[in-house]
Amino acid sequence: MLQRNSDLPYVIPDEPVSRPAEGWQYPTVDLREMGRILRRRYKMAVLPAFALLGLAVIYLLLTTTLYTATSTVLVDPRRANVVESNQSVLSNFGTDDATIESQTLLIQSVAILMRVVSKLKLTEDTEFTPKPGLLDPIKALFRSSGPSDGASPEDAAKSRSVDILQKRMKVTRQGTTFLVDIAVSSQSPQKAATIANAIADAYFDEQVRAKYDATRIAANWLNGQIDDLKSRVVASEKAVEDYRSANNLMVSQGVTLNDQQLTDLNNKLIAARVQTAEARAKYEQVQDIAKSGGDPGGINAAISSEMITKLRTQYADIAKNEADLSSKYGARHPLVANVRAQRRDTQRLINEEIKRILESTKHDYDVARSREASLTQSLDKLQGVSTSSGQAQVRLRELQREAEANRTQYESYLARSKETTAQESLEMPDSRIVTKASTPIRPSSPKTMLILGLAVMLGLGAGTVLAFLADYLDGRVKTIEQAEAIAGVPALAAVPLIGARELARLARRGRNALGRYDPKARGLLPPALQPPLTRYAIDEPGTFFAEAIRSVRLALQRTMRSQPVKVVQVTSALDSEGKTTLAINLAQSLAMLGIRTLLIDGDLRNPQVTRALCPRADAGLLEVAIGQAAPERAILVDPSTGLSILPSTPIKEVEFITELMFSDRIVDVLDYFRHRYELIVIDSPPLVPLVDGRALAELADRIILALAWDQTPGEVLSHAMDLLSPVRDRVMGTVLTRVDLSRLQFYDYYRSSAYLKPYGAASLHAGAAR
């Protein structure tokens, strides 16, 4: 049942109930709520997708089909060195990325593209000729000078073709490699391949031309420098020779004669000093032996003398023979005397040889010392000469360095000139084609599937965002819980929307009664001629509409059991929210139970109850209040339900209506009917635009607030409750009207038609209810 499950009346608490503080929780995403948002706003979600898809189709139909051909070039960082014999033909690989990027930009340069335009005569091709556009006159207003000002028509045409070609081509490097792709797009596949290959060839020609020009300029400059260097080398070498001759600085084997003599004499002096030292050592040894009385035969010269060695051997043999003969014949034997004489002669010879050696030692020492003194004197004289020529040698070495530098520079320039001259006829590009552009078989632009896919994806994404944004910004009341949260009072029921087809079916029943009806009749309209919605709850008691009316009636009956309730006001925040339909059906439902019920049309400005049930009434609330008509005469009774109705006749004086609502006359009228009816239902004006409803709220015992589902904004409901704040304790609850149960499942599934379908067969199609 579409009602709030509560047996107790709703009472506004004096103070808000304090709740224990809860810890902060991370926000969560309710996927089910997101799905419901997309389902209830699916039109908004898919509409951008269809719109973008349509634009994409139009674009694909209007855009020009292009074919792209790609030529791949290897920008080789190696350099050819064919004319150099001391290097390999190809040098090592380079790693300069800036060089590769520079070559990539060079391929797109105007100079290369101008070659291609001239070679292929693209200025005569309509594809590469600019076409007049709609915005050209506007662009001309903001251009200070024309593109061809100061240039010939031919050059201007080439420039325009180059601009179009630059837009049609794309040069990209493959990652960090040395491969560069030259992609060209054209309406013709063959033309795209031809232009791509022509750009690659023009790039190679530009490389060769640049290298040839640089080599030729370098060769000319080198030839001019060589002549000057040659004369400088000759002059510097002649200066060296002249200075050497003038200062007697002749050179032999790379050294001057003076330096060579000084070196030789110094070496001889060192050798002489060594010999003198040796001779002096020998002489001092002899002197020491002589002073000590030792055997002079022990000196090294005597020991190493061959003559002394032989004499001593002979002396030893004679002494041995003497000893043998003495032992055999005796000391006085003649043979012994002869041998002894031989021994004495031998000893004499040894002494004479030793004496000669001693005299030779002294002589050698004197000769060595004399030679050393002579060499020292010669060296001192030669060093004086060398010192006097030192400054001349410093100047000579300076002249030699200058001559050597000029000679080295001359030789380097001469060698480089020969290499450059040889390279003039052997210039090769530093790049080569890896893959020549072939004729493409499929168009590259537009990418149909990609564009359509992106259009659908972007459209769905934008639509989804719009759907969520629209739902977030939509503050209209759509659920019972939302109404309770905003108003702070219970939601009594949700009255479903009755479809137009169902209303038309009910309206057809009044065709027969229309012929029998007197248009001038002052009483109630026959039930068949009354608007279908005014009697829908009693005519169709098995529908959800009637069930919702019974829910409101049950809530009212519960309140009546516990508290004295006589006057019930049915109002709304704004106009056209279904309050009149709710008031009439609620009053009829109460009357059907046997409760003496009076329905008062309290909306004097727009008496919809009167207009629906008794449009020809001649007396009503105003006439009763001012005493022009008796209450019994103004009240009309519906015989089918027993409901009493107090209509409101049209009033032109609006100011009088406002004053009437705040006067005691309305209080008196209500007091009069309180004693004659068990319950009074007042259909009052809306609260926000008019003050009449607020005045009636002061007189009512209970107030029921009607809200149009998916129509009444939440802030309006909140404002209406603020207007009722003086009588807030009398507000019994709210009632949602015109609820589309088929759409309600996207907001509140358990109160929608999907959940209630097994319990009824009411028509739930789109329609309108008053």
Side-chain angles (χ1 to χ4, degrees):
M1 211 179 265
L2 302 179
Q3 66 180 23
R4 181 181 179 89
N5 295 326
S6 176
D7 295 333
L8 298 177
Y10 181 81
V11 180
I12 302 297
D14 296 335
E15 296 182 358
V17 181
S18 61
R19 297 182 179 179
E22 297 181 357
W24 184 85
Q25 297 180 353
Y26 286 98
T28 58
V29 178
D30 190 347
L31 297 180
R32 291 179 298 178
E33 179 62 22
M34 294 175 64
R36 287 193 290 266
I37 292 174
L38 293 179
R39 288 189 62 186
R40 62 178 174 252
R41 299 187 182 273
Y42 70 94
K43 293 182 180 179
M44 182 178 294
V46 300
L47 183 60
F50 282 110
L52 289 181
L53 185 61
L55 293 177
V57 171
I58 296 174
Y59 170 77
L60 293 175
L61 293 176
L62 298 180
T63 190
T64 304
T65 301
L66 298 178
Y67 295 84
T68 301
T70 303
S71 176
T72 303
V73 175
L74 173 63
V75 182
D76 199 342
R78 301 174 293 180
R79 300 291 182 267
N81 295 307
V82 178
V83 298
E84 298 184 12
S85 59
N86 60 342
Q87 296 185 14
S88 59
V89 175
L90 294 177
S91 63
N92 295 330
F93 276 94
T95 58
D96 190 0
D97 290 342
T99 301
I100 310 300
E101 296 294 341
S102 299
Q103 296 300 314
T104 302
L105 296 177
L106 177 62
I107 296 175
Q108 317 175 59
S109 64
V110 176
I112 292 179
L113 298 184
M114 192 70 75
R115 290 172 176 264
V116 176
V117 170
S118 300
K119 179 180 179 181
L120 301 180
K121 299 180 179 180
L122 296 182
T123 54
E124 302 175 3
D125 193 334
T126 56
E127 183 179 353
F128 293 92
T129 303
K131 301 176 180 59
L134 298 177
L135 300 179
D136 288 349
I138 300 177
K139 294 180 180 179
L141 296 177
F142 298 95
R143 189 165 50 228
S144 58
S145 60
S148 59
D149 291 352
S152 64
E154 183 179 358
D155 293 340
K158 288 183 178 180
S159 298
R160 289 191 290 267
S161 299
V162 167
D163 293 339
I164 297 175
L165 182 56
Q166 284 180 328
K167 298 176 182 178
R168 290 288 184 90
M169 68 176 295
K170 184 178 182 181
V171 181
T172 56
R173 179 184 180 186
Q174 295 184 10
T176 57
T177 66
F178 302 131
L179 297 176
V180 177
D181 292 334
I182 304 174
V184 178
S185 300
S186 175
Q187 300 176 10
S188 171
Q190 296 80 5
K191 188 189 301 181
T194 302
I195 295 176
N197 292 326
I199 292 175
D201 294 339
Y203 168 60
F204 298 152
D205 294 342
E206 178 66 19
Q207 282 189 333
V208 173
R209 185 196 63 78
K211 293 176 66 176
Y212 175 80
D213 292 343
T215 303
R216 180 170 51 82
I217 294 173
N220 295 335
W221 182 81
L222 288 173
N223 291 332
Q225 293 294 319
I226 286 174
D227 295 338
D228 180 52
L229 288 174
K230 183 177 180 181
S231 60
R232 288 168 59 185
V233 168
V234 172
S236 59
E237 289 183 347
K238 184 177 182 302
V240 170
E241 296 300 329
D242 293 344
Y243 190 81
R244 182 181 286 117
S245 299
N247 293 274
N248 195 20
L249 299 175
M250 303 305 296
V251 177
S252 176
Q253 298 180 353
V255 182
T256 61
L257 295 178
N258 189 27
D259 291 342
Q260 188 175 3
Q261 291 176 359
L262 185 62
T263 301
D264 294 341
L265 188 60
N266 189 42
N267 293 334
K268 291 179 181 180
L269 177 59
I270 293 173
R273 287 177 177 174
V274 172
Q275 292 178 0
T276 301
E278 291 178 353
R280 183 175 60 186
K282 292 178 181 179
Y283 177 72
E284 289 177 352
Q285 183 183 15
V286 171
Q287 293 296 325
D288 291 340
I289 292 174
K291 290 179 181 180
S292 62
D295 184 10
I299 64 176
N300 294 332
I303 295 174
S304 60
S305 177
E306 295 181 359
M307 180 60 71
I308 293 177
T309 302
K310 291 179 179 180
L311 291 175
R312 285 183 174 179
T313 302
Q314 183 179 353
Y315 181 83
D317 293 339
I318 294 173
K320 179 180 180 185
N321 191 17
E322 180 183 2
D324 291 341
L325 292 177
S326 296
S327 61
K328 184 176 179 181
Y329 299 108
R332 296 185 178 278
H333 192 277
L335 293 175
V336 175
N338 290 334
V339 171
R340 187 177 293 118
Q342 293 178 0
R343 179 174 62 78
R344 287 194 296 270
D345 292 338
T346 302
Q347 182 64 43
R348 181 179 56 79
L349 291 174
I350 291 173
N351 293 336
E352 289 178 354
E353 183 65 23
I354 291 173
K355 183 178 180 182
R356 187 187 63 80
I357 290 175
L358 294 176
E359 292 177 354
S360 176
T361 300
K362 182 177 183 304
H363 177 72
D364 290 341
Y365 173 63
D366 293 339
V367 172
R369 187 171 58 181
S370 176
R371 182 170 176 271
E372 179 184 355
S374 177
L375 290 174
T376 300
Q377 184 178 4
S378 299
L379 181 62
D380 293 340
K381 185 184 296 184
L382 192 60
Q383 284 180 343
V385 175
S386 177
T387 302
S388 63
S389 63
Q391 296 298 328
Q393 290 181 0
V394 171
R395 175 58 180 167
L396 177 63
R397 284 193 290 271
E398 181 180 353
L399 294 175
Q400 287 176 339
R401 285 194 298 270
E402 183 178 356
E404 184 66 24
N406 292 334
R407 187 184 305 108
T408 301
Q409 188 177 10
Y410 172 73
E411 293 174 354
S412 175
Y413 275 48
L414 184 61
R416 186 56 182 163
S417 176
K418 293 182 179 297
E419 294 173 2
T420 305
T421 304
Q423 287 179 354
E424 288 185 15
S425 59
L426 187 60
E427 291 295 351
M428 295 183 297
D430 296 331
S431 305
R432 59 186 177 87
I433 292 182
V434 177
T435 304
K436 296 193 68 174
S438 58
T439 303
I441 59 177
R442 294 185 181 87
S444 59
S445 175
K447 300 183 182 298
T448 304
M449 299 307 298
L450 178 61
I451 292 175
L452 294 179
L454 286 177
V456 173
M457 292 179 62
L458 292 176
L460 290 177
T464 301
V465 173
L466 288 177
F468 284 118
L469 183 61
D471 194 82
Y472 175 78
L473 297 178
D474 188 1
R476 294 174 294 183
V477 179
K478 298 181 179 64
T479 63
I480 289 179
E481 288 77 8
Q482 187 178 4
E484 290 181 346
I486 297 175
V489 295
L492 305 178
V495 180
L497 176 71
I498 306 303
R501 184 178 300 177
E502 174 69 8
L503 295 176
R505 181 185 66 83
L506 297 175
R508 283 195 295 269
R509 297 184 303 180
R511 291 180 180 178
N512 297 329
L514 183 61
R516 300 188 300 269
Y517 174 68
D518 183 9
K520 298 180 180 180
R522 301 292 182 178
L524 291 174
L525 291 174
L529 295 181
Q530 295 179 7
L533 280 180
T534 58
R535 302 181 61 87
Y536 197 81
I538 59 176
D539 291 343
E540 303 291 337
T543 60
F544 294 139
F545 185 95
E547 189 71 11
I549 297 298
R550 288 193 289 269
S551 297
V552 180
R553 185 186 68 185
L554 177 60
L556 182 58
Q557 287 177 317
R558 290 173 179 169
T559 305
M560 294 172 62
R561 295 190 190 106
S562 59
Q563 298 177 9
V565 176
K566 283 288 187 176
V567 180
V568 177
Q569 178 187 9
V570 179
T571 185
S572 62
L574 301 173
D575 191 19
S576 301
E577 294 195 70
K579 62 178 180 60
T580 300
T581 301
L582 174 62
I584 295 174
N585 283 271
L586 176 61
Q588 291 175 349
S589 180
L590 291 169
M592 289 291 293
L593 293 180
I595 301 175
R596 294 193 307 276
T597 306
L598 173 65
L599 174 62
I600 299 178
D601 190 352
D603 193 352
L604 301 180
R605 303 171 191 262
N606 185 21
Q608 295 186 14
V609 173
T610 303
R611 193 177 297 119
L613 302 180
C614 47
R616 294 292 181 177
D618 56 355
L621 177 61
L622 178 62
E623 288 75 13
V624 174
I626 62 178
Q628 289 183 0
E632 291 77 9
R633 176 177 171 273
I635 292 177
L636 303 176
V637 179
D638 185 3
S640 61
T641 60
L643 175 65
S644 299
I645 302 171
L646 179 60
S648 293
T649 57
I651 301 175
K652 297 182 180 180
E653 293 80 4
V654 177
E655 297 81 1
F656 183 72
I657 296 175
T658 304
E659 296 300 330
L660 178 64
M661 289 299 175
F662 286 92
S663 66
D664 294 335
R665 296 178 181 179
I666 293 296
V667 177
D668 296 338
V669 171
L670 291 180
D671 288 341
Y672 175 81
F673 290 121
R674 283 176 185 269
H675 297 88
R676 288 164 176 76
Y677 292 92
E678 298 180 55
L679 192 65
I680 301 173
V681 178
I682 303 177
D683 178 26
S684 74
L687 298 173
V688 174
L690 301 174
V691 74
D692 302 354
R694 304 172 216 170
L696 288 175
E698 301 284 345
L699 307 177
D701 298 327
R702 286 293 179 269
I703 302 171
I704 298 176
L705 187 62
L707 306 174
W709 181 83
D710 197 19
Q711 179 178 339
T712 303
E715 58 269 18
V716 173
L717 174 58
S718 178
H719 180 57
M721 294 303 299
D722 292 339
L723 296 176
L724 294 176
S725 57
V727 292
R728 188 180 181 88
D729 56 335
R730 304 180 192 177
V731 180
M732 191 172 69
T734 60
V735 177
L736 289 180
T737 62
R738 303 177 183 177
V739 178
D740 189 346
L741 298 181
S742 61
R743 291 175 54 201
L744 185 62
Q745 61 181 324
F746 303 132
Y747 300 94
D748 191 351
Y749 180 81
Y750 298 105
R751 291 183 176 87
S752 65
S753 61
Y755 186 72
L756 299 175
K757 188 175 182 179
Y759 301 97
S763 175
L764 302 175
H765 299 289
R770 293 186 63 188

